[in-house]
Amino acid sequence: MPEISHEELLARIGQAYYLDSRSKVEIATEHGISRFQVARFLDEARAAGIVHIEIRRTGRHTAVDAAALAATLGLQRVVVVNTLDDDFAQRDLQAQAVASELMAEVHKGMTVGISWSRTLDLAARHVKELPPCNIVQLAGALPVPGAGNPLEIIQRLGRLGGGTTWPMWAPLVVDSAATASGLRRQPEIADAMAKADALDLAFVAIGAWAPNLSTVWDRVDNSSRQDGIAKGAVAECSGRLIAADGSAVAAELDARILSVTLKQLQRTPKVIAVAQGEARADAVRACIAAGIVHTLVVDESLALALQASADEEGALV
């Protein structure tokens, strides 16, 4: 039997498990691997887009007027995708929408900034082609179990765009302000952070400053979390904390973050932001108030929560 590529192996394992209903043990025996490897390959096939799972909930679809919601929120565009029961499938569905926006919005010669999140990591894998452009990494690395290397985002997009890349060879959060200050003086890091002053387009993710709603929250100590809350933080974007009125939060964490600043995002002509779940509604509203969102990619549950809060405000006027 001729040797097959790794991608073909992932496709065959995915078909055997998801379409042919074969067990992991059967698949492992056929391919001479362990059932744990089969499980890992199935996860990899989904992350790479070789296997795509779509869940349709009949009778529970809620139509959202995305254009009307954009007008209500004062945005150029809102993209709404279905809300799914599976967290990975949900993230991947939004990643596909982000990838479509990226391919549609990037033009030749642009300088494009991209931050890191699990959704943006997946989105980079769904991008098939880009015109010649430059890519800037907007946030340091924040490794998360089960996700790809944050640097893979800029490396993959850089290969597709064929232009210059500005990677940020640093963690997103460091242990002290002094360490962060020293890293910012490193030429490669300084160049990437300075290049964020001249973006044509940026892609970011929005988190809420609360448990399980921000990867940064999950990685810092409780003192930093409570300091942010005490100073009014409701949202987190690329490690930067934002209050409900859109103002930057002067938390101690800010001095330890290596990422694009809110002022840099505010100067960017177009920022495309992605957020998931109705629990992030207040965070999204804060980022809109901060002036760092022009296009918003959300799921239906979050879109409905945003519409409901806007309706409540309108009723009080």
Side-chain angles (χ1 to χ4, degrees), residues 221-273:
D221 58 40
N222 194 55
S223 174
S224 296
R225 296 168 183 164
Q226 296 306 316
D227 180 62
I229 291 173
K231 292 175 179 174
V234 299
E236 175 266 313
C237 181
S238 300
R240 304 298 181 181
L241 303 187
I242 303 170
D245 64 358
S247 60
V249 173
E252 65 83 24
L253 178 63
D254 198 57
R256 299 193 284 123
I257 292 291
L258 293 163
S259 78
V260 64
T261 66
L262 292 187
K263 288 184 178 179
Q264 287 174 317
L265 289 176
Q266 288 164 347
R267 291 195 294 265
T268 301
K270 187 160 193 174
V271 179
I272 298 176

Side-chain angles (χ1 to χ4, degrees), residues 294-312:
H294 301 97
T295 292
L296 181 64
V297 179
V298 295
D299 66 316
E300 282 184 335
S301 69
L302 178 49
L304 290 170
L306 291 169
Q307 185 63 65
S309 61
D311 290 344
E312 287 175 7

